[in-house]
Amino acid sequence: MAPAASLDLESRAWIDALGDDGVVRDDAVARLHALLLRAARFEVARRRPALPHLRGNELDDIALEAADDALVSVLARLEDFEGRSRFSTWAYKFALLEAAVKLRKRSWQGREIPLEPESWSLLAARGSSPEHEAEQSELLGSIREGIESVLTPHQRRVLVAIALNGVPIDVLAERLGSTRGALYKTLHDGRQKLRAHLASQGLAVDRAEGGNRHG
Amino acid sequence: MDERLRRLLGASGPELTCDECFAELDRYVELEVSGTDADAAVPGMRAHLEGCPACGEEHESLRALVAGDDA
């Protein structure tokens, strides 16, 4: 869709310059790359404490690679910009996505992806009182039973990897030859089955932390 | 709902897909940063951000970046 007529002045200037040719466009592309690099470095800086094994120059390389890839994406999708946000905000999200995905993949590089429960201890009850702990124990036990009995093998692997073992969805998608969107659909469908399983046993999860039994 | 249950069960109610979330993310964040009711403007976004760790992280980053620009 073409940009809306009501673009703010700054966004209009970006679109006009990037749609120009020659020196004007070259300058706009260079400024866009700088903007994307700033966003990618912002993402790298946010995640740096969780990535102590990566050296500074590796992180700089990831940020630059993310900005390069985001620039290609933004330029290819200029027609999609509808002016529903500022152009800079719209462009930032491409750089943040590229940087986040690269950092998640780098963080899991060479590591085995656990598709089976590494430990059920995550599902141990931690109630604030004996009564709450008993409720939690019943709920979590039913979730474990549901994971083992009502999910398809693929739903079980995806839910266990992402929700129980903490595998990033992009990393799992790459290993399984899938996409974030497809795996999230699988995760969502599995969650719906688990919720239905809990409901069939009279267990509700949204009314209070730890869950309550209906009626 | 505690963090473990949220990771396992996601949020209740309708939610956007990952692609829909990415398409709406810039508008949603600008509404949030400006103090407008972003959840009313983009139904299903909050549930998705609570259910999808990756999209949730990217939302936090974009909000922080834009808020910093506007400060």
Side-chain angles (χ1 to χ4, degrees):
Chain A
M1 184 182 293
S6 58
L7 289 186
D8 63 274
L9 290 176
E10 189 180 325
S11 298
R12 170 59 64 195
W14 274 112
I15 293 299
D16 288 348
L18 290 168
D20 209 319
D21 48 29
V23 177
V24 173
R25 182 176 190 277
D26 291 346
D27 175 65
V29 170
R31 286 187 291 113
L32 176 58
H33 187 268
L35 182 133
L36 296 170
L37 184 56
R38 190 168 80 79
R41 284 177 171 156
F42 181 84
E43 181 67 11
V44 166
R46 276 172 69 84
R47 292 172 175 274
R48 188 168 195 155
L51 301 164
H53 57 292
L54 293 184
R55 293 192 299 274
N57 61 333
E58 288 180 280
L59 293 169
D60 287 344
D61 287 348
I62 290 172
L64 185 58
E65 205 177 307
D68 291 348
D69 291 349
L71 180 67
V72 173
S73 293
V74 169
L75 292 176
R77 291 172 174 77
L78 277 183
E79 288 291 311
D80 296 340
F81 178 63
E82 299 176 28
R84 298 199 298 163
S85 70
R86 288 173 298 198
F87 178 81
S88 56
T89 305
W90 181 75
Y92 280 157
K93 70 178 178 179
F94 290 89
L96 294 176
L97 173 71
E98 291 288 350
V101 170
K102 288 181 197 310
L103 289 166
R104 290 184 193 113
K105 289 180 178 176
R106 183 64 66 90
S107 179
W108 279 76
Q109 200 169 35
R111 290 170 64 181
E112 190 178 341
I113 301 294
L115 298 174
E116 296 297 325
E118 291 193 310
S119 165
W120 289 106
S121 62
L122 178 69
L123 296 186
R126 295 196 297 261
S128 54
S129 66
E131 184 186 353
H132 186 206
E133 191 159 314
E135 285 179 353
Q136 276 224 329
S137 180
E138 183 181 16
L139 180 69
L140 293 169
S142 185
I143 289 174
R144 177 176 173 174
E145 177 190 290
I147 290 173
E148 293 176 328
S149 65
V150 303
L151 303 186
T152 66
H154 182 53
Q155 285 170 344
R156 182 171 184 272
R157 280 194 297 270
V158 170
L159 186 130
V160 164
I162 295 172
L164 209 52
N165 295 339
V167 179
I169 195 167
D170 303 307
V171 173
L172 187 62
E174 184 179 51
R175 301 289 176 97
L176 297 181
S178 185
T179 63
R180 180 191 294 195
L183 285 193
Y184 193 77
K185 171 80 166 58
T186 301
L187 179 65
H188 181 262
D189 291 348
R191 284 168 164 171
Q192 295 303 105
K193 277 190 180 176
L194 280 184
R195 282 180 175 273
H197 174 72
L198 296 177
S200 74
Q201 300 192 342
L203 294 164
V205 295
D206 291 322
R207 282 191 297 158
E209 186 179 42
N212 287 338
R213 182 174 286 282
H214 285 303
Chain B
M1 191 190 299
D2 76 11
E3 172 65 16
R4 294 175 302 167
L5 292 177
R6 191 174 62 75
R7 288 179 68 92
L8 284 162
L9 300 173
S12 61
E15 65 174 278
L16 300 184
T17 66
C18 292
D19 288 343
E20 290 167 340
C21 171
F22 187 75
E24 294 283 359
L25 191 60
D26 47 316
R27 180 168 76 101
Y28 183 83
V29 162
E30 286 197 354
L31 291 171
E32 277 187 307
V33 171
S34 70
T36 308
D37 188 350
D39 292 320
V42 190
M45 178 65 105
R46 177 57 48 189
H48 182 72
L49 295 176
E50 289 177 1
C52 180
C55 291
E57 288 173 5
E58 287 148 24
H59 161 253
E60 290 293 328
S61 293
L62 185 59
R63 189 172 64 182
L65 184 56
V66 171
D69 277 358
D70 290 355

